[in-house]
Amino acid sequence: MAGSPASLSGQDVGSFAYLTIKDRIPQILTRAIDTLHRHKSEFFEKHGEKGTEAEKKAISLLSKLRNELQTDKPIIPFVEKFVDTDIWNQYLEYQQSLLNENDGKPRWFYSPWLFVECYMYRRIHEAIIQSPPIDDFDVFKESKEQNFFESQESIVALCTHLQELVTAIKDLDENQLKDEFFRLLQISLWGNKCDLSLSGGETSSQKINIINSLEELKPLILVNDMEHLWSLLNNCKKTREKASITRVDIVLDNSGFELVTDLVLADFLLSSQLATEIHFYGKTIPWFVSDTTIHDFNWLIEQVKSSNHKWMSKCGVDWENYIKMGKWVYHDHIFWTLPHEFCVMSQVAPDLYAELQKAHLILFKGDLNYRKLTGDRKWEFTIPFHQALNGFHPAPLCSIRTLKAEIQVGLQPGQAEQYMASEPNWLTSGKYGIFQFDGPL
């Protein structure tokens, strides 16, 4: 890739990538092993001896994986047949082809961080599918559900706010509508702090009412392109013919509280007529601890619907209806759980690229999406976002992320230095956020 800087990797001792591979990933594997162990009796009740044997096998495969990682062994191909096995193994060969002859095989600390981190989660999945009859077990399910239950107060506050807003929406003038749009965008941004992979799988629920904190959080938004999003969608609304559609696609990140903030935003987009249909994209397999799968998506809507709080329950009923009416559409695609950066999507997954091209606006939630948008490379802080996207322009798009990796582009000269001086870990703490837009203005 001519002109692109080197990938972030664990070679840089002390870097966030290095510490992730050295500390956070082994912690996540240890938790996955503990989770399997805790479900031992459940597996036995369901499947008898076969369940017990499967649990032992999965634990042994994950322990082997942890050992490979900690001793920086070569990265090995996948053996279990799955829909993406061939693409993954081709990618491993591609990584091998980038090395010099005397470098040997790709290894954990010397390969691109994005690649090895994705590889690790795909290996967890391989360990589970190699262990029938527990081959559909999600080792992260409990922690995702715990995040949802521990965030109940915030979810109730958010659902109440939404229902009050929807009731009065017809009476809002354009400026009030814009203010509400900005408010729900910011709630969706700060909802992205609830990331279980950042905490090594430790709980990271939302316990404060985020709506009341927005003003004090505003100065922490480093790139704020919300105005572009408003003018794009408001313009679509004004120029839309009666039968035509405005489609917003949301590439999801975490389940639990963050997913609620995304669904609340999606509901508002329909209720305000800024959009007429919303398409969501989730992961086909359990991923990065807390990422949303179809099971998480359906489970969460069911939980909201069956709440004994009337406004929360009303949200769940409305959301289920949007799905039935085809106003909300959920997609998954194996590309989202491959290690590829998005600039190769049009070659690797042309069907997905063509689907995204149908959107008027695509919102990419979270840090992993940002790393894949920008190739997870050592870009200068001031490089324009458009350039870092490296030709990935299916439709106007916006990254909505809190910063949890040592990559950020599109900053003003001097802006990064200012944060570096006062906060050495400003790039990885999740304290700062961005709304970074790319598209015709």
Side-chain angles (χ1 to χ4, degrees), residues 85-96:
T85 306
D86 291 344
I87 304 177
W88 260 103
N89 285 340
Q90 281 162 17
Y91 191 84
L92 266 55
E93 285 170 18
Y94 162 71
Q95 284 295 332
Q96 177 72 59

Side-chain angles (χ1 to χ4, degrees), residues 136-154:
D136 59 351
F137 184 72
D138 178 352
V139 292
F140 305 129
K141 177 171 170 272
E142 275 184 342
S143 51
K144 288 184 273 196
E145 292 179 358
Q146 183 186 359
N147 172 280
F148 174 81
F149 290 124
E150 288 182 353
S151 306
Q152 283 302 286
E153 271 181 61
S154 293

Side-chain angles (χ1 to χ4, degrees), residues 224-355:
N224 189 346
D225 289 337
M226 288 195 295
E227 287 283 351
H228 295 326
L229 304 185
W230 167 258
S231 54
L232 187 152
L233 292 179
N234 197 35
N235 195 38
C236 285
K237 179 181 174 180
K238 285 176 174 171
T239 56
R240 192 165 64 228
E241 301 293 324
K242 259 217 158 69
S244 68
I245 60 167
T246 300
R247 170 170 158 175
V248 174
D249 287 17
I250 304 177
V251 183
L252 298 168
D253 190 21
N254 300 305
S255 185
F257 180 72
E258 180 176 2
L259 180 57
V260 174
T261 68
D262 297 335
L263 299 182
V264 165
L265 174 63
D267 190 331
F268 170 79
L269 289 172
L270 292 187
S271 305
S272 62
Q273 297 176 342
L274 287 168
T276 59
E277 61 181 62
I278 312 287
H279 290 243
F280 300 95
Y281 298 83
K283 308 294 196 299
T284 44
I285 61 174
W287 200 246
F288 277 63
V289 186
S290 41
D291 283 20
T292 304
T293 64
I294 183 69
H295 172 274
D296 302 323
F297 188 83
N298 291 335
W299 178 86
L300 183 137
I301 290 174
E302 190 53 46
Q303 289 297 321
V304 172
K305 192 180 93 169
S306 57
S307 164
N308 54 17
H309 187 280
K310 69 171 182 175
W311 293 133
M312 188 163 158
S313 168
K314 171 81 167 68
C315 284
V317 171
D318 290 349
W319 298 348
E320 205 167 67
N321 282 334
Y322 290 148
I323 293 167
K324 282 180 187 150
M325 292 159 67
K327 291 185 172 185
W328 280 10
V329 183
Y330 180 95
H331 308 253
D332 46 26
H333 194 290
I334 59 159
F335 184 81
W336 304 117
T337 50
L338 291 175
H340 301 67
E341 45 201 281
F342 291 164
C343 65
V344 299
M345 186 193 288
S346 56
Q347 288 99 56
V348 177
D351 55 331
L352 177 60
Y353 193 82
E355 192 56 51

